Amino acid sequence: MTNSLQEQPKEKRISTVLKENVQNIEKEFGKTNDLSIRQLNQQQSGTNIAIIHLSGIVDEKSLNEHIIEPIIQLMKTSNNQLSPSDLEGSIFNTLEVSDISFATDWEQLLSSILIGDTVILLDNIPKAIIAGTQKIESRSITEPTSQTVIRGPKDSFNENIRQNISLVRSRIQNTNIRIWSSKVGTITKTEVAVMYLEGVTEKKYVDEIVERIDSIDIDGVLESNYIEELIQDHKKTLFPLLLNTERPDVVVANLLEGKIAIFIHGTPFVLICPITFIQFFQSPEDYYNNYVYSTFLRMLRVGAFLVNMYATAIYLALITHHQGLIPTTLLVSIMAQRERIPFPAVIEILMMEVAFEVLREAGIRMPRAIGPAVSIVGALILGQAAVEAGFVSAAVVIIVATSAISSFTLPNTSIVNVARGLRFFLLFSSAFIGLFGVLLMSLAILLHLCSLRSFGISYLTPYAPFSLKEQKDSLFRFSFPVLRRKSSSKKN
């Protein structure tokens, strides 16, 4: 290992020969049509200038008006008599761009071209002038598509990391915001930025996240889930250990609580960490409505999550293993429905569960104009036809539909996917030994939850370990005067 490190080549430097630098750049980029190299010549001194950029990701207007025209004008006014060093200094002071710097490292030069900056090289000068001209097209700021609210801000993040950071900065006008950025992916070089509030966020969490991001070894990063899977504490778990959101107000609220936000270029979803399990049942709208109503909604979401997971499993356990727990009148009605059903109860439920999952997936993939209509009409027609044909009983359609509809009350899709996956595990355990199987599987899930950590914080905080003070904003949402006293005590 030591020998391989010693054998690594030193950083390549920029040559003093302009022709050699241009040839090396052309060799690096190959035969690509979007590489633009414009060369100017100072006839009196013989100094050549090369202006290099990638078309399509630069601001062409800024390039022409604030870089090329000032350089041509400078060469005319100086009568082409400036030495290379004087010409370099004059160009640096003449350019009318806000972001301008020098680069002596070859990799830095290539990286600047790739992100949309313009590189200016001169003969006999072993460094380059880097002018910030990048302009990458992105979506305009629109309403959130996956985390909608009735009352509250209507803006959402887009795929441009700079715009996303600006949306947060416009809400927190404070000098204590700190941003650390890095490039992740040996091929894509995707920009990743870590944002936190100095004095509010514990430094150990920031250092841990930065260390984990720095240690990532992957070819490319296309979406935030790449980063999420690579830096989370537990790799083999269905439960999300980082919160993803496309809402700026959610990021701001978590930063004020001492959390850390991770921005990834190319995706509108920002990661928040460390987080706890109860956060997935909290909606930003909880803080925009009366606290009593918000508490009721949080309880409703937790109840819907349990219904989504347990409804079909408990129904199967009761009709196959514990018929004595069902009221006689209801039992007679259910058994009368099942007289014409040719399949065992577990097969009957699985058929309906898979059918609803297929309809849900089809509704997502189809065009927006017809997707909801297809999923609703398909569910109604299939359910009614299946009952009339004798494939399934009406009770199973009601139970499976109730389970599916309850998932739409949850504000985050990550926790919905968890319930969808665990529902099948509970179903199979219920078919095996009834309610005892459901109980054993529930204990296994609870033990697994107790073992999970999000950057060292217990996943079941503030319930395990229990904290009475933290109950003010967990399942219950207390009024803002009480929450304000809580945040003040945290700062102290």
Side-chain angles (χ1 to χ4, degrees), residues 289-310:
N289 289 316
N290 182 271
Y291 66 96
V292 177
Y293 178 64
S294 300
T295 299
F296 167 73
L297 288 181
R298 287 185 181 179
M299 292 181 176
L300 185 68
R301 294 183 199 119
V302 173
F305 176 76
L306 295 176
V307 168
N308 192 13
M309 281 179 57
Y310 286 97

Side-chain angles (χ1 to χ4, degrees), residues 39-81:
Q39 298 198 42
L40 304 174
N41 179 260
Q42 194 180 38
Q43 296 177 356
Q44 293 288 342
S45 62
T47 302
N48 293 317
I49 303 173
I51 303 172
I52 306 166
H53 68 273
L54 283 175
S55 303
I57 61 173
V58 300
D59 187 343
E60 297 287 349
K61 183 178 180 181
S62 176
L63 174 67
N64 292 326
E65 294 181 0
H66 305 308
I67 294 179
I68 295 178
E69 287 186 10
I71 290 177
I72 294 175
Q73 190 64 30
L74 175 67
M75 294 174 69
K76 288 180 179 179
T77 55
S78 64
N79 297 321
N80 295 320
Q81 294 179 352

